[in-house]
């Protein structure tokens, strides 16, 4: 069974600084997707970034980038130039890419990010 | 447009009530999901519909009854709930392909359910 581990229950960062959230996962599959979702106190789960395992290039979305280390099964999220609106719970998630999985996501326990002005 | 809408935003019900949650998307997605989320915990998958057919039921108690009337709409019918069922109920949708599996899930804002 796949597992996703976020070892940092809480993190904090100063506005405009950079912060990295950690995520490791365990799977025996070679074809899969990894995601970071953000859930602000307003509660809507928002996709931050997605990585396809067969792509070696790290995904980036504006101030958000990942460090994907497939051999180490590590998938960290870097937030540059942190803004107050980045404060949220961040979830790392895994999905097997196979056709019969029906998109079942395995989530980590989440990291609460606080941004200090 | 990556919008998934859910109604109502809040729901308070007694243990003997019958109520329904509604989820709607107009992105052409053919896979739709129900999740239950407790405070400061990750979402827990309840049901998955693919092409309007129930594909996954994660051993959810029968007091939760899902329904997918068409490709845009997903309902969750609630009956005889327990106080421990109080939670945020999230709906999500994604593209679905019988060959390639499903794609990125987009979530709705959720319904905050309180069972008295």
């Amino acid at each position: 069974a796949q597992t996703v581990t976020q070892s940092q229950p809480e993190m904090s960062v100063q506005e405009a600084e950079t912060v990295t959230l950690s995520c490791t996962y365990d799977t025996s599959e070679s074809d899969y997707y990894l995601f970071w979702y953000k859930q602000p106190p307003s509660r809507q789960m928002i996709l931050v970034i997605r990585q396809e395992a067969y792509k070696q290039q790290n995904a980036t979305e504006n101030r958000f980038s990942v460090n994907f280390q497939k051999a180490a099964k590590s998938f960290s999220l870097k937030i540059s130039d942190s803004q107050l609106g980045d404060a949220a719970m961040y979830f790392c998630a895994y999905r097997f890419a196979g056709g019969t999985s029906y998109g079942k996501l395995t989530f980590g326990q989440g990291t609460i990010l606080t941004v200090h002005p | 447009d990556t919008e998934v809408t859910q109604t109502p935003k809040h729901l308070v019900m007694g243990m003997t009530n019958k109520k329904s949650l509604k989820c709607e998307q107009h992105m052409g997605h053919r896979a739709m999901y129900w999740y239950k989320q407790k405070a400061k915990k990750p979402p827990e998958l309840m049901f998955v519909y693919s092409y309007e057919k129930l594909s996954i039921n994660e051993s959810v108690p029968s007091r939760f009854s899902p329904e997918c009337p068409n490709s845009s709409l997903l309902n969750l019918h609630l009956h005889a709930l327990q106080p421990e069922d109080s939670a945020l109920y999230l709906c999500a949708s994604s593209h679905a392909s019988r060959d390639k599996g499903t794609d990125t899930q987009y979530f709705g804002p959720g319904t905050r359910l309180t069972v008295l």
Side-chain angles (χ1 to χ4, degrees), chain B residues 26-71:
Chain B
H26 296 286
M27 296 178 278
H29 291 170
R30 302 302 296 275
M32 297 186 76
Y33 311 78
W34 279 116
Y35 289 87
K36 173 184 178 181
Q37 187 181 27
K38 291 282 198 179
K40 297 188 178 182
K41 295 292 186 181
E44 301 171 21
L45 183 67
M46 300 175 71
F47 303 103
V48 180
Y49 274 83
S50 179
Y51 293 90
E52 297 86 68
K53 293 190 188 310
L54 184 64
S55 302
I56 294 178
N57 177 342
E58 291 286 281
S59 302
V60 178
S62 60
R63 57 185 183 269
F64 296 91
S65 176
E67 179 195 21
C68 189
N70 59 58
S71 60

Side-chain angles (χ1 to χ4, degrees), chain A residues 3-112:
Chain A
T3 58
V4 177
T5 302
Q6 293 179 249
S7 58
Q8 307 152 317
E10 297 184 27
M11 291 283 284
S12 64
V13 64
Q14 291 293 133
E15 200 174 3
E17 297 293 310
T18 296
V19 64
T20 298
L21 307 185
S22 299
C23 173
T24 58
Y25 59 94
D26 188 24
T27 183
S28 58
E29 306 293 345
S30 59
D31 193 11
Y32 50 87
Y33 299 95
L34 295 165
F35 306 86
W36 279 99
Y37 282 93
K38 164 187 176 182
Q39 190 173 34
S42 65
R43 78 191 178 208
Q44 180 150 12
M45 192 85 75
I46 302 166
L47 176 68
V48 175
I49 204 163
R50 155 192 159 137
Q51 176 79 42
E52 296 168 39
Y54 64 86
K55 290 187 177 179
Q56 293 190 343
Q57 185 173 4
N58 290 326
T60 61
E61 286 288 342
N62 301 313
R63 297 182 295 106
F64 298 88
S65 62
V66 297
N67 184 4
F68 173 48
Q69 300 289 328
K70 191 172 184 179
K73 297 180 181 175
S74 171
F75 183 60
S76 61
L77 176 69
K78 185 171 84 172
I79 306 173
S80 304
D81 185 25
S82 296
Q83 300 175 0
L84 295 177
D86 295 332
M89 173 84 93
Y90 286 81
F91 290 102
C92 179
Y94 163 100
R95 176 170 76 72
F96 173 52
T100 59
S101 66
Y102 295 105
K104 186 171 179 177
L105 286 171
T106 301
F107 287 93
Q109 290 300 304
T111 297
I112 298 173

Side-chain angles (χ1 to χ4, degrees), chain B:
Chain B
D1 182 10
T2 56
E3 186 176 359
V4 177
T5 60
Q6 289 187 244
T7 54
K9 290 185 178 180
H10 301 274
L11 178 63
V12 179
M13 60 186 291
M15 289 190 286
T16 59
N17 292 156
K18 287 185 179 180
K19 297 286 184 182
S20 297
L21 309 184
K22 179 181 173 181
C23 172
E24 199 162 5
Q25 57 86 17
H26 296 286
M27 296 178 278
H29 291 170
R30 302 302 296 275
M32 297 186 76
Y33 311 78
W34 279 116
Y35 289 87
K36 173 184 178 181
Q37 187 181 27
K38 291 282 198 179
K40 297 188 178 182
K41 295 292 186 181
E44 301 171 21
L45 183 67
M46 300 175 71
F47 303 103
V48 180
Y49 274 83
S50 179
Y51 293 90
E52 297 86 68
K53 293 190 188 310
L54 184 64
S55 302
I56 294 178
N57 177 342
E58 291 286 281
S59 302
V60 178
S62 60
R63 57 185 183 269
F64 296 91
S65 176
E67 179 195 21
C68 189
N70 59 58
S71 60
S72 300
L73 191 57
L74 185 66
N75 298 319
L76 186 63
H77 303 297
L78 314 173
H79 173 55
L81 294 192
Q82 304 297 310
E84 59 265 29
D85 296 322
S86 298
L88 181 67
Y89 287 83
L90 294 167
C91 173
S93 72
S94 71
H95 287 294
S97 164
R98 291 191 174 95
D99 295 327
K100 298 180 181 177
T102 56
D103 207 337
T104 301
Q105 292 180 32
Y106 295 93
F107 286 81
T111 294
R112 176 72 63 192
L113 174 67
T114 302
V115 182
L116 301 176

